[in-house]
């Protein structure tokens, strides 16, 4: 059994359709799946009521009013009905392969499962009967683009594992720090890209005054980097030492494992940190 939690933004324009599509897909996974929605942005309470989710309107925020992830993760782990939790961005559509992934890791004491997504233009409401979901999955494979391994829009983990710094939601950096933290703490970092194929519904970032075409920058992004300990304290999926596939959780083959270890090494992290700093400077 699985508890999914998220922090939706205001249900305005395409964001309303995308978030309703996503939450509708979560509800269709199984009746026992628990959904927790955090925050008080417009439409969140109504979506919780429509899809049978629990709503937690009171969340700690930054000085700019952006929800903080530390309190949300702490509260979700405290109130979750089930011991397996999934944090997901509120516009990610999941299929039943997610349930298979959750089942595959339930025998492990500690784990952090994440993976690549499929980016897809989506301008219509999603049907969630079996045929509609199969058609949508086929369309995503045909028309979508697999996202690079430099970020993750979902994390599957056991209750009690994660205690985050006060990162801002929706700003880069925190997900890469979480992967670094798992590696540093000896928590198996498991790449589920070959087993789970979630769909991210493409959108811009105009909801934020610091939004660019591809992400939100600004002072909260810089604060996320500071809280992480700098750009070198970040990893991506290339550093995962484990895979989730048809045969469950397995270590990467020797060559791939060596490459993953190299990505997690201090020299490579330093080089990638410099690259992130340069990219940040170019996009100011």
């Amino acid at each position: 059994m699985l508890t999914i939690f998220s922090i939706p933004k205001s249900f305005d324009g395409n964001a309303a359709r995308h978030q309703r599509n996503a939450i509708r897909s979560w509800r269709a996974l199984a009746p026992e799946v628990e959904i927790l929605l955090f925050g008080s942005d417009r439409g969140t309470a109504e979506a919780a009521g429509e899809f049978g989710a629990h709503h937690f309107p009171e969340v700690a925020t930054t000085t700019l009013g952006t929800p903080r992830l530390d309190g949300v993760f702490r509260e979700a782990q405290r109130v979750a009905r089930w011991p397996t939790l999934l944090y997901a961005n509120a516009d990610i559509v999941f299929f039943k392969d997610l349930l298979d992934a959750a089942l595959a890791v339930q025998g492990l004491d500690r784990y952090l499962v994440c993976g690549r997504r499929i980016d897809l233009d989506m301008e219509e409401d999603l049907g969630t009967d079996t045929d509609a979901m199969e058609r949508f999955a086929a369309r995503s494979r045909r028309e979508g683009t697999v996202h690079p391994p430099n970020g993750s829009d979902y994390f599957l983990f056991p209750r009690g594992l994660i205690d985050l710094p006060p990162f801002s939601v929706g700003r880069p950096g925190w997900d890469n720090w979480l992967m670094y933290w798992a590696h540093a703490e000896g928590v198996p970092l498991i790449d589920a890209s070959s087993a789970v194929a979630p769909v991210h519904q493409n959108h811009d970032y105009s909801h934020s005054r610091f939004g660019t075409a591809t992400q939100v920058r600004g002072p909260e992004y810089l604060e996320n980097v500071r809280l992480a300990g700098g750009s070198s304290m970040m990893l991506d999926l290339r550093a995962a030492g484990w895979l989730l596939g048809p045969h469950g959780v397995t270590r990467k083959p020797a060559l791939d494992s060596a490459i993953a270890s190299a990505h997690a090494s201090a020299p490579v992290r330093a080089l990638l940190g410099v690259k992130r700093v340069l990219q940040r400077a170019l996009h100011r």
Side-chain angles (χ1 to χ4, degrees):
M1 295 299 102
L2 180 65
T3 294
I4 302 176
F5 67 102
S6 189
I7 313 171
K9 55 179 176 274
S10 292
F11 284 72
D12 297 324
N14 273 341
R17 170 177 288 113
H18 292 167
Q19 293 183 143
R20 285 171 53 81
N21 283 344
I23 300 168
R24 187 182 294 116
S25 77
W26 307 349
R27 173 49 58 222
L29 290 171
E32 298 84 2
V33 168
E34 179 182 45
I35 302 172
L36 314 179
L37 299 182
F38 287 85
S40 57
D41 279 6
R42 186 166 44 252
T44 302
E46 292 76 8
E50 179 180 355
F51 297 110
H54 302 289
H55 181 216
F56 300 85
E58 300 298 326
V59 299
T61 64
T62 69
T63 56
L64 294 178
T66 303
R68 283 176 18 196
L69 287 158
D70 56 327
V72 168
F73 268 71
R74 192 176 304 118
E75 183 69 359
Q77 292 174 89
R78 186 184 73 83
V79 305
R81 178 183 179 189
W82 305 115
T84 304
L85 288 87
L86 178 92
Y87 173 80
N89 287 350
D91 56 5
I92 302 298
V93 172
F94 286 101
F95 306 96
K96 291 189 184 293
D97 53 13
L98 174 66
L99 298 183
D100 296 331
L103 183 62
V105 297
Q106 283 185 357
L108 304 178
D109 291 331
R110 300 199 304 167
Y111 53 85
L112 184 67
V113 178
C114 43
R116 298 169 76 174
R117 73 196 195 206
I118 297 174
D119 294 324
L120 181 71
D121 291 335
M122 182 66 173
E123 303 299 332
E124 62 270 11
D125 295 336
L126 176 66
T128 53
D129 62 84
T130 301
D131 289 343
M133 291 301 284
E134 288 179 354
R135 288 194 300 271
F136 183 66
R139 178 188 161 199
S140 70
R141 293 190 296 268
R142 185 176 63 252
E143 300 178 11
T145 302
V146 178
H147 196 76
N150 61 342
S152 187
D153 280 4
Y154 71 92
F155 290 99
L156 185 72
F157 62 95
R159 178 165 47 207
L161 179 71
I162 295 176
D163 186 16
L164 288 177
F167 291 120
S168 302
V169 71
R171 282 52 175 157
W174 76 269
D175 52 344
N176 301 106
W177 176 87
L178 184 54
M179 289 186 247
Y180 166 79
W181 170 86
H183 175 81
E185 293 293 318
V187 175
L189 180 60
I190 304 170
D191 184 353
S193 299
S194 64
V196 182
V199 174
H200 169 260
Q201 301 163 94
N202 289 333
H203 59 85
D204 62 23
Y205 293 82
S206 59
H207 64 280
S208 170
R209 60 185 168 129
F210 302 107
T212 69
T214 58
Q215 60 187 317
V216 177
R217 295 284 182 170
E220 291 176 332
Y221 165 54
L222 297 177
E223 178 64 4
N224 273 7
V225 173
R226 187 192 71 79
L227 290 167
S231 295
S232 65
M233 300 300 182
M234 298 179 185
L235 292 175
D236 60 34
L237 286 162
R238 292 172 291 185
W242 299 77
L243 297 172
L244 178 59
H247 304 293
V249 178
T250 58
R251 284 191 178 274
K252 281 184 172 178
L255 178 58
D256 292 339
S257 182
I259 294 172
S261 296
H263 272 287
S265 67
V268 174
R269 285 192 287 105
L271 288 173
L272 292 175
V274 171
K275 178 182 177 182
R276 292 187 184 102
V277 170
L278 293 174
Q279 288 175 331
R280 184 164 67 242
L282 290 172
H283 287 89
R284 279 179 179 169

